[in-house]
Amino acid sequence: MSNCLTTILLLAVAAGTLTTTTHAFTTPLLQRQHLLRPAVGNTALFGGKRRGRLTNNVSVDEDGKVARIMTKKQKQTLGNSKMKKQKGEKATAAISPLLAEWAKEGDDSSTLASASSQSASTSSSVTSTVFVPFDTDDDDDNKNSKRKTNKKDQQRSQRAALSAAQSQQIDALLDQIDDLLQTNNLDRVELVSYISSLVQVGSSSSNNDQVLLPTLKSIVSTKPRKDEQLPSFRLAWAGSDPAICHVGTSLHKVPLARLQEVFLSLGYNRWELFEVIRILGPFPTVRNTLRGDVKLTKLPSSTTKLNREGVRMQISYTSMVDGTGKEILAGKADNIKYVDLDIWFANEKVIVATVPPIEEDGGYEQDPLKGDGSNVLLFVQEENLDEQLEKLRAA
């Protein structure tokens, strides 16, 4: 029995020995099969060329460490991600460690120095840290534009206040003139004095703010809408018959003819004058219409020799419609009739005009708005021209 046990133990020992030797010699075989080779100190991986893509993705650097090899596409993707990350973050400049330490030491020393002398050098520190920018040309332009804007606003407000006061005075004078025209015994001198006062109120030549020419241009160039009418006026008073004939046809001087009304319509830079003439007896009312273009120019002060603003209006009559409704055109340039008027006051309510003096006289020697006013033409607003023409049976 003991011999049998001894034999079994020997066989077991022999089997263990054989197994140990087999593993010892088969380990290199397994390494060669898996393409593994032990390295001295560090373990490295080597890939075969025929099996897998391990060699394309793994390499060994100079220190023997494993490094990953990326494809071009992976490098491009990684680069784009880095660029996006840099755009999202604030860029910071790289500073060397020595420079950072030196700056830190400088900050510490400056902090200590400022803390020790804070009470003594408060004003100097303030002046040293506050920077006043230099005034550039753009800043000067902005300041100048602001000053001009403020000046224009002040002028507008002054004109608005002045125009409000002027409008009240003008309305009062117009009421006085209208009351005076309704009287039977008209005092010409008094009427001319009111007209002269009206011109003086509206004149603004003393403050170099000319308003007559632009106001008259706006009236003459009016382009009304469908529901609006052209600016219309009625000849309320004329200083003499020659003054009426200066702008009209003079057909009212025919025997048995009486001039009833003279109306004026302005707009589209044109002048349209309506003469309503009544013939004594069983005859219809006659209406003559004169049409022409208008040109406006400012009167120079040397010509007027007056302390007021004036505008020369030149009317070129190119068409006439007689009482029968027949239109007569000028045709040739020689047949065009030119008429000049000097305007001294104009707004939507009234127009004050005078017949200009003869050219040989060289201008106004006397004020045309003084004396009996023989050359004065006073036009007042007519709200409904068509209705007035129908009343006179001259529509």
Side-chain angles (χ1 to χ4, degrees), residues 171-203:
D171 293 339
L173 288 171
L174 288 177
D175 292 337
Q176 293 177 354
I177 292 172
D178 184 62
D179 295 338
L180 192 60
L181 289 174
Q182 299 299 327
T183 60
N184 295 328
N185 297 325
L186 178 62
D187 189 352
R188 294 171 59 93
V189 177
E190 185 180 2
L191 177 62
V192 173
S193 65
Y194 284 146
I195 296 174
S196 179
S197 300
L198 179 67
V199 172
Q200 291 295 334
V201 171
S203 179

Side-chain angles (χ1 to χ4, degrees), residues 203-215 298 308-310:
S203 179
S204 57
S205 60
S206 59
N207 56 4
N208 296 325
D209 188 12
Q210 308 297 330
V211 295
L212 178 58
L213 182 59
T215 303
K298 180 182 176 182
R308 70 167 68 103
E309 182 183 6

